[in-house]
Amino acid sequence: MDRLGSRCPLPGSLRPSVLTCLLILTASFVSYPMLRTLSLQLHSAVTGSYVSGTYSVVFVNCPNEQIAREIARAILDKKLAASVNILPKASSLYFWNGEIEEATEILLLIKTKTSKVHVLSGYIRLVHPFEIPEVFSLPVDQGDVRYFKWLEEGMEED
């Protein structure tokens, strides 16, 4: 009985090792996105290959070409992307306030690192004139490794 009591803590008390494990698990969970990004970059650098999902294409609709160009230039200036295509005259039909609306919009195709999508989306929400701008991304599954290297270089901080 004495041996069992020495190995098992009293009810309601935690051993220091349990607290340490909980702390390590919490830190691992919080740092996972950063560690994953770093490991993907290291893998790509060592192998010279592309890891699926490292880059994304972000889609954003704009009300006119002037606003589209302003947003595109600002994104590039801030190194949030390496390339932006401006596609003219996308016809859009959508529900707004319970009604079907129709508009001609300009579509931005933004090529960026997946790790920058969250910051890019936040920036677009700040500068976009729409109350709820259309901002969504799709990870890039495959592509030319040389192009991805060029994207990487285009987003390097000076």
Side-chain angles (χ1 to χ4, degrees):
M1 183 74 170
D2 289 336
R3 287 177 51 179
L4 180 63
S6 65
R7 282 192 261 163
C8 298
L10 296 173
S13 66
L14 289 176
R15 291 187 211 171
S17 62
V18 173
L19 289 174
T20 303
C21 288
L22 288 174
L23 182 61
I24 290 170
L25 285 173
T26 302
S28 298
F29 180 74
V30 169
S31 63
Y32 174 76
M34 180 185 65
L35 293 174
R36 182 179 185 279
T37 300
L38 290 173
S39 67
L40 290 175
Q41 290 173 348
L42 179 62
H43 179 270
S44 292
V46 170
T47 64
S49 64
Y50 175 67
V51 177
S52 179
T54 303
Y55 295 96
S56 290
V57 177
V58 179
F59 297 79
V60 178
N61 275 356
C62 296
N64 60 52
E65 191 170 347
Q66 178 184 350
I67 289 171
R69 286 188 184 283
E70 290 171 2
I71 291 174
R73 285 191 173 280
I75 288 167
L76 293 171
D77 285 343
K78 294 188 174 302
K79 304 283 187 177
L80 294 174
S83 174
V84 180
N85 296 109
I86 300 173
L87 304 177
K89 297 192 178 187
S91 294
S92 299
L93 284 91
Y94 53 91
F95 278 105
W96 186 253
N97 294 325
E99 301 289 325
I100 296 175
E101 298 287 332
E102 191 169 338
T104 300
E105 298 175 317
I106 307 299
L107 178 62
L108 298 179
L109 296 179
I110 304 166
K111 277 75 75 184
T112 189
K113 292 180 190 178
T114 301
S115 62
K116 291 190 176 215
V117 169
H118 183 71
V119 173
L120 174 64
S121 297
Y123 178 74
I124 289 170
R125 280 192 301 276
L126 285 174
V127 300
H128 204 286
F130 289 169
E131 182 179 338
I132 304 173
E134 175 184 348
V135 180
F136 65 90
S137 69
L138 299 173
V140 175
D141 183 39
Q142 296 180 27
D144 187 309
V145 175
R146 294 170 298 169
Y147 181 78
F148 296 135
K149 185 176 185 324
W150 174 81
L151 283 179
E152 185 76 32
E153 291 167 358
M155 288 180 274
E156 288 177 353
E157 300 295 327
D158 297 330

